[in-house]
Amino acid sequence: MEADILEYKLKDDVTQDDVLTLKQYVKSLNEVLDVLNRDLGNGYRDKLNEKRVLREMSFVKMQMQKLADEIPPAQITILEK
């Protein structure tokens, strides 16, 4: 069952600080994902960094839920040649 994306909206009380906080969390997540990607590419696993990835993911999720009542599902379009 596919929902119309317009049924979803940001909460009415979203502030600029909320958006800036989400941007910072995403930036932090991106940084630890870069390290994870490098480590996996070298066949190495750093358990401490993996914990950081999970922590940053939880911060992003928490902030996203603060901005929206319900997050729409990702819609992936596959382009064929």
Side-chain angles (χ1 to χ4, degrees):
M1 185 165 120
E2 190 173 318
D4 184 5
I5 192 101
L6 296 176
E7 292 178 15
Y8 300 97
K9 66 177 194 152
L10 295 178
K11 291 182 179 177
D12 293 334
D13 60 348
V14 171
T15 66
Q16 187 176 16
D17 285 341
D18 293 332
V19 174
L20 293 175
T21 300
L22 178 58
K23 284 181 66 171
Q24 182 59 46
Y25 288 157
V26 169
K27 180 180 177 191
S28 297
L29 175 59
N30 190 49
E31 290 170 2
V32 294
L33 286 174
D34 284 344
V35 173
L36 179 64
N37 186 47
R38 181 198 65 209
D39 290 349
L40 292 175
N42 292 323
Y44 175 73
R45 292 189 71 154
D46 179 351
K47 295 296 181 190
L48 184 59
N49 189 59
E50 289 181 17
K51 287 182 181 180
R52 287 185 194 124
V53 168
L54 292 171
R55 183 186 69 221
E56 297 299 336
M57 286 171 57
S58 70
F59 289 150
V60 168
K61 179 182 177 185
M62 175 189 64
Q63 190 66 16
M64 287 174 64
Q65 288 172 336
K66 184 176 179 182
L67 273 73
D69 292 320
E70 186 176 351
I71 309 289
Q75 295 187 4
I76 299 171
T77 303
I78 299 175
L79 301 176
E80 295 184 26
K81 288 185 177 183

